Amino acid sequence: MMMRMAMLFLLPCAIVVCCCGCKTTTQPAPATEERFPDIHKLKEWLRVVVSREATTDDVQKQVIAAIRADPSRSILVLCPMLGDEAEGASVRMGAAWALGMLGDKRAVIALVDALRYTPAGIPLAASEALGKIDDPEVLTRLVKIYRGHDRALSANAGVALASLHQKAFVPQLIAFLKHEDVDMRAIAARALGSIESKDAVAALIEALDDQNEGVVMFAAQALGKIGDPAALVPLNIVAQEAKDAFVKKYAQDAIEQINRLKESV
């Protein structure tokens, strides 16, 4: 349980970074056409995207244009890259990023399988990609893995669940705020904060009364991101009455975030 919760707090804002220390020595020339590149060129682009070199933004645009121009071929090329240990970690992470940008349901199984792979950057990139795909099967598969007996894989599934971005998942995530598993409640609160749906405000306010401090912190954080003034009074109560210093801090930060949003309107 502690491992799963810790993974949530360590979840980075931007997944696609090179956490394996790999670098490219050459920069690919930008493509001039929105067509699917040859495999060698595509791999060069993926390395640059992950390494975040100076040309990253331009290369990202080229990759997105190319894969969206031919989704079927993209699935056939990118999915096998995820599990190909002969490829460098940067290419495999880049493939996960690209599949997320594509958002095609046909990539779900391959991305779920990638939660098992090493190094750690690959499951993290796959988690972020899964969060971008609007398919109920994503939630079904991740919950099943999360409830499994493989602790490391379960933790990766928890990170993926917390990375969900699609509003279609909001009703199910709201229901998870009542789940008997405390980690599932925390995951739901974290994910609802990522989605920033006002439909979740009432449920998140109720979650501020959760007996688990981690759930309360994620609920407060989510309410701050959503920015609905209706959360100010309950957040103030938490900020004043919570015994835990971290809970107080999360509530105070959420209050400040909502007030800033009010002032900017």
Side-chain angles (χ1 to χ4, degrees):
M1 179 183 295
M2 292 301 296
M3 178 181 179
R4 295 172 180 171
M5 186 73 78
M7 287 291 287
L8 292 182
F9 280 99
L10 292 172
L11 183 64
C13 295
I15 296 296
V16 185
V17 295
C18 188
C19 57
C20 56
C22 47
K23 296 287 184 181
T24 62
T25 56
T26 60
Q27 295 186 4
T32 56
E33 301 177 40
E34 293 183 3
R35 60 185 179 81
F36 201 88
D38 63 64
I39 302 301
H40 178 72
K41 178 63 69 176
L42 177 61
K43 290 178 182 179
E44 282 188 68
W45 287 355
L46 295 177
R47 291 189 189 100
V48 171
V49 167
V50 172
S51 66
R52 304 183 70 82
E53 295 180 5
T55 58
T56 295
D57 289 344
D58 289 338
V59 174
Q60 281 185 352
K61 292 175 184 176
Q62 296 295 338
V63 174
I64 292 170
I67 61 176
R68 290 180 178 171
D70 194 345
S72 293
R73 186 177 179 192
S74 298
I75 293 293
L76 290 173
V77 170
L78 293 169
C79 286
M81 284 185 189
L82 294 171
D84 189 350
E85 295 183 358
E87 299 291 353
S90 58
V91 170
R92 298 168 70 190
M93 292 163 63
W97 168 83
L99 289 167
M101 292 297 101
L102 184 62
D104 194 303
K105 298 177 181 180
R106 292 173 291 180
V108 169
I109 294 176
L111 287 167
V112 169
D113 285 344
L115 297 177
R116 309 174 179 276
Y117 301 151
T118 56
I122 296 168
L124 288 174
S127 296
E128 182 70 10
L130 285 164
K132 293 181 171 66
I133 299 176
D134 186 1
D135 182 8
E137 188 68 14
V138 171
L139 193 56
T140 301
R141 287 179 177 273
L142 290 178
V143 169
K144 183 177 180 179
I145 294 172
Y146 177 79
R147 291 173 174 167
H149 299 296
D150 185 324
R151 294 184 64 186
L153 185 58
S154 177
N156 287 341
V159 173
L161 284 164
S163 302
L164 297 176
H165 296 293
Q166 300 295 334
K167 289 186 177 180
F169 298 134
V170 168
Q172 186 69 54
L173 291 169
I174 288 174
F176 284 160
L177 289 174
K178 298 284 191 181
H179 201 281
E180 61 182 11
D181 185 331
V182 62
D183 289 330
M184 185 63 81
R185 300 199 301 275
I187 286 167
R190 175 70 169 76
L192 289 167
S194 297
I195 298 171
E196 298 184 17
S197 171
K198 288 197 173 185
D199 292 339
V201 168
L204 287 166
I205 288 174
E206 189 174 349
L208 293 175
D209 291 327
D210 197 282
Q211 296 300 306
N212 182 270
E213 293 164 348
V215 176
V216 176
M217 285 189 280
F218 280 122
Q221 184 182 63
L223 288 166
K225 288 181 177 181
I226 295 169
D228 192 324
L232 285 172
V233 171
L235 283 169
N236 268 299
I237 293 173
V238 173
Q240 292 169 14
E241 298 182 0
K243 296 178 180 179
D244 185 271
F246 288 106
V247 174
K248 284 179 176 286
K249 182 66 165 60
Y250 270 69
Q252 290 164 353
D253 288 347
I255 291 167
E256 292 175 7
Q257 192 170 3
I258 293 171
N259 284 329
R260 285 197 300 270
L261 289 170
K262 284 173 61 181
E263 292 169 2
S264 66
V265 175

